[in-house]
Coordinates of all heavy atoms in Angstrom, one line a residue:
M1 N -22.2 30.5 6.8 CA -22.2 31.8 7.3 C -22.5 31.9 8.8 O -22.7 33.0 9.3 CB -23.1 32.7 6.5 CG -22.8 32.7 5.0 SD -21.3 33.5 4.4 CE -21.4 35.1 5.1
G2 N -22.8 30.8 9.5 CA -23.2 30.8 10.8 C -24.7 31.0 11.1 O -25.0 31.2 12.2
R3 N -25.5 30.9 10.0 CA -26.9 31.1 10.3 C -27.5 29.9 9.6 O -27.7 29.7 8.4 CB -27.4 32.3 9.5 CG -26.9 33.5 10.2 CD -27.7 34.8 10.2 NE -29.2 34.6 10.0 CZ -30.0 35.3 9.4 NH1 -29.5 36.5 8.8 NH2 -31.4 35.1 9.4
A4 N -28.0 29.0 10.5 CA -28.7 27.7 10.1 C -30.0 28.1 9.4 O -30.4 27.2 8.5 CB -28.9 26.8 11.2
D5 N -30.6 29.2 9.6 CA -31.9 29.5 9.1 C -31.8 30.3 7.8 O -32.9 30.6 7.2 CB -32.8 30.3 10.1 CG -32.1 31.7 10.5 OD1 -30.9 31.8 10.2 OD2 -32.9 32.6 10.7
L6 N -30.6 30.4 7.3 CA -30.6 31.2 6.0 C -31.0 30.3 4.8 O -30.7 29.2 4.7 CB -29.0 31.5 5.7 CG -28.7 32.7 5.0 CD1 -29.3 34.0 5.6 CD2 -27.2 33.0 5.0
S7 N -31.8 30.9 4.0 CA -32.5 30.2 2.9 C -31.4 29.9 1.8 O -30.4 30.6 1.8 CB -33.6 30.9 2.3 OG -33.3 32.2 1.7
E8 N -31.8 29.0 0.9 CA -30.9 28.7 -0.3 C -30.7 30.1 -1.1 O -29.7 30.4 -1.6 CB -31.4 27.6 -1.1 CG -31.1 26.3 -0.6 CD -29.6 25.9 -0.3 OE1 -28.8 26.3 -1.2 OE2 -29.2 25.4 0.7
A9 N -31.8 30.7 -1.3 CA -31.8 32.0 -2.0 C -30.9 33.1 -1.4 O -30.2 33.8 -2.1 CB -33.3 32.6 -2.1
A10 N -31.0 33.2 -0.1 CA -30.2 34.1 0.6 C -28.7 33.7 0.5 O -27.8 34.5 0.3 CB -30.5 34.2 2.1
L11 N -28.4 32.5 0.6 CA -27.0 31.9 0.4 C -26.6 32.2 -1.1 O -25.4 32.6 -1.2 CB -26.9 30.4 0.6 CG -26.9 30.1 2.1 CD1 -27.0 28.5 2.2 CD2 -25.7 30.4 2.8
A12 N -27.5 32.0 -1.9 CA -27.0 32.4 -3.2 C -26.7 33.9 -3.5 O -25.7 34.3 -4.1 CB -28.2 32.0 -4.3
D13 N -27.4 34.7 -2.8 CA -27.1 36.3 -2.8 C -25.7 36.5 -2.2 O -25.0 37.3 -2.7 CB -28.2 37.0 -2.1 CG -29.6 37.1 -2.8 OD1 -29.6 36.7 -4.0 OD2 -30.6 37.3 -2.1
V14 N -25.5 35.8 -1.2 CA -24.2 36.0 -0.5 C -23.0 35.6 -1.4 O -22.1 36.2 -1.5 CB -24.1 35.2 0.9 CG1 -22.7 35.2 1.4 CG2 -25.1 35.8 1.8
R15 N -23.2 34.4 -2.0 CA -22.1 33.9 -3.0 C -22.0 34.8 -4.1 O -20.9 35.2 -4.6 CB -22.6 32.5 -3.5 CG -22.4 31.5 -2.5 CD -22.8 30.0 -3.1 NE -23.1 29.1 -2.0 CZ -24.2 28.6 -1.7 NH1 -25.3 28.8 -2.4 NH2 -24.3 27.7 -0.7
E16 N -23.1 35.3 -4.7 CA -23.2 36.3 -5.7 C -22.3 37.6 -5.4 O -21.5 38.1 -6.1 CB -24.5 36.6 -6.2 CG -24.5 37.5 -7.4 CD -25.9 37.8 -7.9 OE1 -26.8 36.9 -7.8 OE2 -26.2 39.0 -8.3
A17 N -22.6 38.0 -4.2 CA -21.9 39.3 -3.6 C -20.4 39.0 -3.5 O -19.5 39.9 -3.8 CB -22.5 39.7 -2.3
L18 N -20.0 37.9 -3.0 CA -18.6 37.5 -2.9 C -17.9 37.4 -4.3 O -16.7 38.0 -4.4 CB -18.4 36.2 -2.1 CG -18.8 36.2 -0.7 CD1 -18.8 34.7 -0.1 CD2 -18.0 37.1 0.1
V19 N -18.5 37.1 -5.2 CA -18.0 37.0 -6.6 C -18.0 38.4 -7.2 O -17.0 38.8 -7.6 CB -18.8 36.0 -7.5 CG1 -18.3 36.1 -9.0 CG2 -18.6 34.6 -7.0
A20 N -19.0 39.1 -7.1 CA -19.2 40.5 -7.6 C -18.2 41.5 -7.1 O -17.7 42.3 -7.8 CB -20.7 40.9 -7.5
T21 N -17.9 41.3 -5.9 CA -17.0 42.3 -5.1 C -15.6 41.9 -5.4 O -14.7 42.6 -5.1 CB -17.2 42.4 -3.7 OG1 -17.0 41.0 -3.1 CG2 -18.7 42.9 -3.4
G22 N -15.3 40.7 -5.9 CA -14.0 40.2 -6.0 C -13.3 39.5 -4.9 O -12.2 39.1 -5.0
A23 N -14.1 39.4 -3.8 CA -13.7 38.7 -2.6 C -13.2 37.3 -2.8 O -12.2 36.8 -2.4 CB -14.7 38.8 -1.5
R24 N -14.0 36.5 -3.6 CA -13.7 35.2 -3.9 C -12.4 35.0 -4.6 O -11.5 34.3 -4.3 CB -14.8 34.5 -4.6 CG -14.5 33.0 -4.9 CD -15.6 32.3 -5.6 NE -15.1 31.1 -6.0 CZ -16.1 30.0 -6.4 NH1 -17.3 30.3 -6.4 NH2 -15.5 28.8 -6.7
A25 N -12.3 35.9 -5.7 CA -11.0 35.8 -6.4 C -9.8 36.2 -5.6 O -8.8 35.6 -5.8 CB -11.1 36.7 -7.7
D26 N -9.9 37.3 -4.8 CA -8.9 37.6 -3.9 C -8.4 36.5 -3.0 O -7.1 36.2 -2.8 CB -9.2 38.8 -3.0 CG -9.3 40.2 -3.8 OD1 -8.8 40.2 -5.0 OD2 -9.8 41.0 -3.3
V27 N -9.4 35.9 -2.4 CA -9.0 34.7 -1.5 C -8.4 33.5 -2.3 O -7.4 33.0 -1.8 CB -10.3 34.2 -0.7 CG1 -10.0 33.0 -0.1 CG2 -10.8 35.3 0.3
E28 N -9.0 33.2 -3.5 CA -8.4 32.1 -4.2 C -6.9 32.5 -4.7 O -6.0 31.7 -4.6 CB -9.1 31.8 -5.5 CG -10.5 31.2 -5.0 CD -11.5 30.9 -6.2 OE1 -11.2 31.5 -7.3 OE2 -12.5 30.2 -5.9
A29 N -6.6 33.8 -5.1 CA -5.3 34.2 -5.4 C -4.3 34.1 -4.3 O -3.3 33.7 -4.4 CB -5.4 35.6 -6.0
R30 N -4.9 34.6 -3.2 CA -4.0 34.4 -1.9 C -3.6 32.9 -1.6 O -2.5 32.6 -1.3 CB -4.6 35.0 -0.7 CG -3.8 35.2 0.5 CD -4.2 36.0 1.6 NE -3.3 36.0 2.6 CZ -3.5 35.9 4.0 NH1 -4.8 35.8 4.4 NH2 -2.6 36.1 4.8
A31 N -4.6 32.0 -1.7 CA -4.4 30.6 -1.5 C -3.4 30.1 -2.4 O -2.4 29.3 -2.1 CB -5.7 29.9 -1.5
D32 N -3.5 30.5 -3.7 CA -2.4 30.0 -4.7 C -1.0 30.6 -4.4 O -0.1 29.8 -4.4 CB -2.8 30.6 -6.1 CG -4.0 29.8 -6.6 OD1 -4.4 28.8 -6.2 OD2 -4.6 30.4 -7.6
R33 N -0.9 31.8 -3.9 CA 0.3 32.4 -3.6 C 0.9 31.7 -2.4 O 2.1 31.3 -2.3 CB 0.2 33.8 -3.2 CG 0.4 34.9 -4.4 CD 0.6 36.2 -3.8 NE -0.3 36.7 -2.8 CZ -1.6 37.2 -2.9 NH1 -2.1 37.1 -4.0 NH2 -2.2 37.6 -1.8
L34 N 0.1 31.4 -1.4 CA 0.6 30.7 -0.2 C 1.0 29.3 -0.5 O 1.9 28.7 0.1 CB -0.6 30.7 0.9 CG -0.8 32.2 1.5 CD1 -2.0 32.1 2.5 CD2 0.5 32.6 2.3
M35 N 0.2 28.6 -1.5 CA 0.6 27.2 -1.9 C 2.0 27.2 -2.6 O 2.8 26.4 -2.3 CB -0.5 26.7 -2.8 CG -0.2 25.4 -3.3 SD -0.3 24.1 -2.0 CE 0.8 22.8 -2.7
R36 N 2.2 28.2 -3.3 CA 3.5 28.3 -4.1 C 4.6 28.5 -3.0 O 5.7 27.9 -3.2 CB 3.5 29.3 -5.2 CG 2.6 28.9 -6.4 CD 2.9 29.9 -7.5 NE 2.6 31.3 -7.3 CZ 1.6 32.0 -7.3 NH1 0.5 31.3 -7.7 NH2 1.5 33.2 -7.0
Q37 N 4.3 29.4 -2.1 CA 5.2 29.7 -1.1 C 5.6 28.4 -0.2 O 6.8 28.1 0.0 CB 4.8 30.8 -0.1 CG 5.8 31.3 0.9 CD 5.3 32.3 1.9 OE1 4.1 32.4 1.9 NE2 6.1 32.9 2.5
A38 N 4.7 27.7 0.1 CA 4.9 26.5 0.8 C 5.6 25.5 0.1 O 6.5 24.7 0.6 CB 3.5 25.9 1.3
E39 N 5.4 25.4 -1.2 CA 6.2 24.4 -2.1 C 7.6 24.9 -2.1 O 8.5 24.1 -2.1 CB 5.6 24.4 -3.5 CG 4.3 23.7 -3.7 CD 3.7 23.7 -5.1 OE1 4.2 24.7 -5.8 OE2 2.9 22.9 -5.4
R40 N 7.9 26.1 -2.2 CA 9.4 26.7 -2.2 C 10.0 26.3 -0.9 O 11.1 25.9 -0.9 CB 9.4 28.2 -2.4 CG 9.0 28.6 -3.8 CD 9.4 30.1 -4.0 NE 8.8 31.0 -3.2 CZ 7.7 31.6 -3.3 NH1 6.9 31.3 -4.3 NH2 7.2 32.4 -2.4
H41 N 9.3 26.6 0.2 CA 9.9 26.2 1.5 C 10.1 24.6 1.7 O 11.1 24.3 2.2 CB 9.1 26.7 2.6 CG 9.0 28.2 2.8 ND1 10.2 28.8 3.2 CD2 8.0 29.1 2.6 CE1 9.8 30.1 3.2 NE2 8.7 30.3 2.9
L42 N 9.2 23.9 1.1 CA 9.4 22.5 1.2 C 10.6 22.1 0.3 O 11.5 21.2 0.7 CB 8.1 21.8 0.7 CG 8.1 20.3 0.8 CD1 8.3 19.7 2.2 CD2 6.7 19.7 0.2
D43 N 10.7 22.7 -0.8 CA 12.0 22.5 -1.7 C 13.2 22.7 -0.9 O 14.1 21.9 -1.0 CB 11.9 23.4 -2.8 CG 11.2 22.9 -4.0 OD1 10.8 21.7 -4.1 OD2 11.0 23.6 -5.0
R44 N 13.3 23.8 -0.3 CA 14.5 24.2 0.4 C 14.8 23.3 1.7 O 15.9 23.2 2.1 CB 14.4 25.7 0.9 CG 14.5 26.6 -0.3 CD 14.4 28.0 0.2 NE 14.2 28.8 -1.0 CZ 13.2 29.7 -1.1 NH1 12.5 30.1 -0.1 NH2 13.1 30.5 -2.2
A45 N 13.7 22.7 2.2 CA 14.0 21.8 3.4 C 14.6 20.5 3.1 O 15.1 19.8 3.9 CB 12.6 21.5 4.0
G46 N 14.7 20.1 1.8 CA 15.3 18.8 1.5 C 14.7 17.6 2.0 O 15.3 16.7 2.5
V47 N 13.4 17.6 2.0 CA 12.6 16.5 2.6 C 12.7 15.3 1.7 O 12.8 15.4 0.5 CB 11.1 17.0 2.7 CG1 10.2 15.8 3.1 CG2 11.0 18.1 3.6
E48 N 12.8 14.1 2.3 CA 12.9 12.8 1.6 C 11.7 12.7 0.6 O 10.7 13.3 0.9 CB 12.9 11.7 2.6 CG 14.2 11.6 3.4 CD 15.4 11.0 2.7 OE1 15.1 10.2 1.8 OE2 16.5 11.4 3.0
A49 N 11.8 11.8 -0.4 CA 10.7 11.6 -1.4 C 9.3 11.3 -0.8 O 8.5 12.0 -1.1 CB 11.2 10.5 -2.3
E50 N 9.3 10.2 0.0 CA 8.0 9.8 0.3 C 7.2 10.8 1.3 O 6.1 11.2 1.1 CB 8.0 8.5 1.1 CG 6.6 7.9 1.5 CD 6.6 6.5 2.0 OE1 7.7 6.0 2.2 OE2 5.6 6.0 2.4
P51 N 7.9 11.3 2.4 CA 7.2 12.4 3.1 C 7.0 13.7 2.3 O 5.9 14.3 2.5 CB 8.3 12.7 4.2 CG 9.3 11.6 4.2 CD 9.2 10.9 2.9
G52 N 7.9 13.9 1.4 CA 7.7 15.2 0.6 C 6.4 15.0 -0.3 O 5.6 16.0 -0.3
H53 N 6.3 13.9 -0.9 CA 5.2 13.6 -1.7 C 3.8 13.7 -1.0 O 2.9 14.3 -1.3 CB 5.2 12.3 -2.2 CG 4.1 11.8 -3.3 ND1 3.9 12.5 -4.5 CD2 3.1 11.0 -3.1 CE1 2.9 11.9 -5.1 NE2 2.3 11.1 -4.2
R54 N 3.8 13.2 0.3 CA 2.7 13.2 1.1 C 2.4 14.6 1.6 O 1.2 15.1 1.7 CB 2.9 12.3 2.3 CG 2.8 10.8 2.1 CD 3.1 10.1 3.3 NE 3.1 8.7 2.9 CZ 2.6 7.7 3.5 NH1 1.8 7.9 4.5 NH2 2.7 6.5 3.1
L55 N 3.4 15.4 1.9 CA 3.3 16.8 2.3 C 2.7 17.6 1.2 O 1.8 18.4 1.4 CB 4.6 17.5 2.8 CG 4.9 17.1 4.2 CD1 6.4 17.6 4.5 CD2 3.9 17.7 5.2
L56 N 3.2 17.5 0.0 CA 2.6 18.1 -1.2 C 1.1 17.9 -1.4 O 0.3 18.7 -1.7 CB 3.5 17.9 -2.4 CG 4.8 18.6 -2.6 CD1 5.5 18.1 -3.7 CD2 4.5 20.1 -2.7
G57 N 0.9 16.4 -1.2 CA -0.6 16.1 -1.5 C -1.5 16.8 -0.5 O -2.6 17.2 -0.7
L58 N -0.9 16.8 0.8 CA -1.8 17.4 1.9 C -1.9 18.9 1.7 O -3.1 19.4 1.8 CB -1.1 17.2 3.2 CG -1.7 17.9 4.5 CD1 -3.1 17.3 4.7 CD2 -0.9 17.6 5.7
L59 N -0.9 19.6 1.3 CA -0.9 21.0 1.0 C -1.9 21.4 -0.2 O -2.7 22.2 -0.1 CB 0.4 21.5 0.6 CG 1.5 21.7 1.6 CD1 2.8 22.0 1.0 CD2 1.1 22.8 2.6
R60 N -1.8 20.6 -1.2 CA -2.8 20.7 -2.3 C -4.2 20.4 -1.8 O -5.1 21.1 -2.3 CB -2.4 19.8 -3.5 CG -1.1 20.4 -4.2 CD -0.9 19.6 -5.4 NE 0.4 20.1 -5.9 CZ 1.5 19.4 -6.3 NH1 1.4 18.1 -6.1 NH2 2.5 20.0 -6.8
S61 N -4.4 19.5 -1.0 CA -5.8 19.0 -0.6 C -6.3 20.3 0.3 O -7.6 20.6 0.1 CB -5.7 17.8 0.1 OG -7.0 17.5 0.8
V62 N -5.5 20.8 1.2 CA -6.0 21.9 2.0 C -6.3 23.2 1.2 O -7.3 23.9 1.4 CB -5.0 22.2 3.1 CG1 -5.3 23.5 3.8 CG2 -4.9 21.0 4.1
A63 N -5.3 23.4 0.2 CA -5.5 24.6 -0.6 C -6.5 24.5 -1.7 O -6.8 25.4 -2.4 CB -4.2 24.9 -1.3
G64 N -6.9 23.3 -2.0 CA -7.9 23.0 -3.1 C -7.4 23.1 -4.4 O -8.0 23.4 -5.3
S65 N -6.1 22.8 -4.5 CA -5.4 22.9 -5.8 C -5.1 21.5 -6.2 O -5.2 20.6 -5.5 CB -4.1 23.8 -5.7 OG -3.2 23.2 -4.9
S66 N -4.7 21.5 -7.5 CA -4.4 20.2 -8.1 C -3.0 20.3 -8.7 O -2.6 21.4 -9.0 CB -5.5 19.7 -9.1 OG -5.7 20.7 -10.1
P67 N -2.5 19.2 -9.1 CA -1.2 19.2 -9.9 C -1.4 20.1 -11.2 O -2.4 20.1 -11.8 CB -0.9 17.8 -10.2 CG -1.7 17.0 -9.2 CD -2.9 17.8 -8.9
G68 N -0.3 20.7 -11.5 CA -0.4 21.6 -12.7 C -0.5 20.8 -14.0 O -0.6 19.6 -14.0
P69 N -0.7 21.6 -15.2 CA -0.8 21.0 -16.4 C 0.4 20.2 -16.7 O 1.5 20.4 -16.3 CB -0.9 22.2 -17.3 CG -0.5 23.4 -16.6 CD -0.6 23.0 -15.2
G70 N 0.2 19.0 -17.4 CA 1.2 18.0 -17.8 C 1.6 17.1 -16.7 O 2.6 16.4 -16.8
A71 N 0.8 17.1 -15.5 CA 1.1 16.2 -14.4 C 1.0 14.8 -14.9 O 0.1 14.4 -15.8 CB 0.2 16.5 -13.3
H72 N 1.8 13.9 -14.4 CA 1.7 12.4 -14.7 C 1.4 11.7 -13.5 O 1.9 12.0 -12.4 CB 3.0 12.0 -15.4 CG 3.4 12.8 -16.6 ND1 2.6 12.6 -17.7 CD2 4.3 13.7 -16.9 CE1 3.2 13.4 -18.7 NE2 4.2 14.0 -18.2
E73 N 0.6 10.6 -13.6 CA 0.3 9.8 -12.6 C 1.6 9.0 -12.1 O 1.7 8.6 -11.0 CB -0.8 8.8 -12.8 CG -2.2 9.5 -13.0 CD -2.6 10.0 -11.7 OE1 -2.5 9.5 -10.7 OE2 -3.0 11.2 -11.8
D74 N 2.4 8.7 -13.1 CA 3.6 7.9 -12.9 C 4.7 8.9 -12.2 O 5.0 9.9 -12.7 CB 4.2 7.4 -14.1 CG 3.2 6.4 -14.8 OD1 2.6 5.6 -14.1 OD2 3.2 6.3 -16.0
V75 N 5.3 8.4 -11.3 CA 6.3 9.1 -10.5 C 7.6 8.6 -11.0 O 7.9 7.4 -10.9 CB 6.1 9.0 -9.0 CG1 7.3 9.7 -8.3 CG2 4.8 9.5 -8.6
P76 N 8.5 9.4 -11.4 CA 9.9 8.9 -11.8 C 10.6 8.2 -10.8 O 10.3 8.2 -9.6 CB 10.7 10.2 -12.1 CG 9.6 11.2 -12.1 CD 8.5 10.8 -11.4
E77 N 11.5 7.2 -11.1 CA 12.1 6.4 -10.2 C 12.9 7.1 -9.1 O 12.8 6.7 -7.9 CB 13.3 5.6 -11.0 CG 13.9 4.4 -10.2 CD 12.9 3.3 -9.9 OE1 11.9 3.2 -10.6 OE2 13.1 2.6 -8.8
A78 N 13.4 8.3 -9.3 CA 14.1 9.0 -8.3 C 13.2 9.5 -7.2 O 13.6 9.9 -6.2 CB 14.9 10.2 -9.1
A79 N 11.9 9.7 -7.5 CA 11.0 10.2 -6.6 C 10.1 9.2 -5.9 O 9.2 9.5 -5.1 CB 10.0 11.2 -7.3
K80 N 10.5 8.0 -6.1 CA 9.7 6.8 -5.4 C 10.0 6.8 -4.0 O 11.2 7.1 -3.8 CB 9.9 5.6 -6.3 CG 9.2 5.5 -7.6 CD 9.3 4.2 -8.2 CE 8.6 4.2 -9.6 NZ 8.8 3.0 -10.3
P81 N 9.2 6.3 -3.2 CA 9.5 6.1 -1.8 C 10.9 5.4 -1.6 O 11.1 4.5 -2.2 CB 8.4 5.4 -1.2 CG 7.3 5.7 -2.1 CD 7.9 5.8 -3.5
G82 N 11.7 6.0 -0.6 CA 12.9 5.3 -0.3 C 14.1 5.8 -1.2 O 15.2 5.3 -1.0
R83 N 13.9 6.5 -2.2 CA 15.0 6.9 -3.1 C 15.6 8.2 -2.6 O 16.6 8.5 -3.3 CB 14.4 7.2 -4.4 CG 13.7 5.8 -5.0 CD 14.8 4.9 -5.3 NE 14.1 3.8 -6.0 CZ 14.6 2.6 -6.1 NH1 15.7 2.3 -5.4 NH2 14.0 1.6 -6.7
G84 N 15.1 8.9 -1.7 CA 15.7 10.1 -1.1 C 15.7 11.3 -2.1 O 16.6 12.2 -2.1
A85 N 14.8 11.3 -3.1 CA 14.7 12.5 -4.0 C 14.3 13.7 -3.2 O 13.6 13.8 -2.3 CB 13.7 12.2 -5.0
P86 N 14.9 14.8 -3.5 CA 14.5 16.1 -2.9 C 13.1 16.5 -3.2 O 12.5 16.0 -4.3 CB 15.5 17.1 -3.5 CG 16.0 16.6 -4.7 CD 16.0 15.0 -4.5
A87 N 12.5 17.4 -2.5 CA 11.2 17.8 -2.8 C 10.9 18.5 -4.1 O 9.9 18.3 -4.7 CB 10.7 18.7 -1.7
S88 N 11.9 19.2 -4.7 CA 11.9 19.8 -6.0 C 11.6 18.7 -7.0 O 10.8 18.8 -8.0 CB 13.1 20.5 -6.3 OG 14.2 19.8 -6.3
S89 N 12.3 17.5 -6.9 CA 12.0 16.5 -7.8 C 10.5 15.9 -7.7 O 9.9 15.5 -8.7 CB 12.9 15.3 -7.7 OG 14.3 15.7 -7.8
L90 N 10.0 15.8 -6.5 CA 8.7 15.4 -6.2 C 7.8 16.4 -6.9 O 6.8 16.0 -7.4 CB 8.5 15.3 -4.7 CG 9.0 14.1 -4.0 CD1 8.9 14.2 -2.6 CD2 8.2 12.9 -4.5
R91 N 8.0 17.7 -6.6 CA 7.0 18.7 -7.2 C 7.0 18.6 -8.7 O 5.8 18.5 -9.2 CB 7.4 20.1 -6.8 CG 6.3 21.0 -7.1 CD 6.6 22.4 -6.7 NE 7.7 23.0 -7.3 CZ 8.7 23.6 -6.7 NH1 8.5 23.9 -5.5 NH2 9.7 24.1 -7.3
A92 N 8.0 18.4 -9.3 CA 8.0 18.2 -10.7 C 7.3 16.9 -11.1 O 6.5 16.8 -12.1 CB 9.4 18.3 -11.3
A93 N 7.6 15.9 -10.4 CA 7.0 14.5 -10.7 C 5.5 14.5 -10.4 O 4.8 13.7 -11.1 CB 7.7 13.5 -9.9
T94 N 5.0 15.3 -9.5 CA 3.6 15.4 -9.3 C 2.9 16.5 -10.0 O 1.7 16.7 -9.7 CB 3.3 15.5 -7.7 OG1 3.9 16.7 -7.3 CG2 3.9 14.2 -7.0
G95 N 3.6 17.1 -10.9 CA 2.9 18.1 -11.8 C 2.9 19.5 -11.1 O 2.2 20.4 -11.6
G96 N 3.6 19.7 -10.1 CA 3.6 21.0 -9.4 C 4.4 22.0 -10.1 O 4.2 23.3 -9.9
G97 N 5.2 21.7 -11.0 CA 6.0 22.6 -11.7 C 6.9 23.3 -10.9 O 7.2 22.9 -9.7
T98 N 7.5 24.4 -11.4 CA 8.5 25.1 -10.7 C 7.7 26.3 -10.0 O 7.1 27.2 -10.7 CB 9.6 25.7 -11.6 OG1 10.1 24.6 -12.2 CG2 10.6 26.5 -10.9
A99 N 7.9 26.5 -8.7 CA 7.3 27.6 -8.0 C 8.0 28.9 -8.3 O 9.2 28.9 -8.4 CB 7.2 27.4 -6.5
P100 N 7.3 30.0 -8.6 CA 8.0 31.3 -8.9 C 8.6 31.9 -7.7 O 8.2 31.6 -6.6 CB 6.9 32.2 -9.4 CG 5.6 31.5 -9.2 CD 5.9 30.1 -8.8

């Protein structure tokens, strides 16, 4: 919060206020929306498999999200580096599912 002298108790109060007011949920929902939007744009860009996979990983890392349910560690042959799979194949392969 920009105050090095803030006690743990005061920080806990701030965190509680952020949750109680819905601010935290609003920010998390916005981050999810922006992540899905970024995935859609990446799909449309037709990025090659390896760079697309790296970009999705970076996006998820920054957004604090993880692959969706049913994600598999194994990447299908078409999505392996050098195969030229579109980003949509990558997203499905990495558990991102279909962005709305």
Side-chain angles (χ1 to χ4, degrees):
M1 303 291 306
R3 292 207 33 209
D5 64 332
L6 209 56
S7 69
E8 284 298 318
L11 283 172
D13 289 344
V14 170
R15 288 184 197 109
E16 185 178 321
L18 291 173
V19 172
T21 62
R24 178 178 175 164
D26 287 347
V27 168
E28 289 174 350
R30 184 168 188 226
D32 288 343
R33 271 193 318 276
L34 291 171
M35 179 65 204
R36 288 190 309 270
Q37 181 182 21
E39 286 177 337
R40 285 193 307 271
H41 288 295
L42 185 57
D43 272 351
R44 292 179 189 134
V47 176
E48 294 279 329
E50 185 174 3
H53 182 74
R54 289 177 187 231
L55 280 170
L56 283 174
L58 177 62
L59 287 170
R60 288 186 179 125
S61 174
V62 169
S65 63
S66 59
H72 301 288
E73 291 298 316
D74 299 319
V75 176
E77 190 67 29
K80 289 184 179 173
R83 301 289 184 199
S88 56
S89 298
L90 278 170
R91 188 175 60 221
T94 59
T98 303

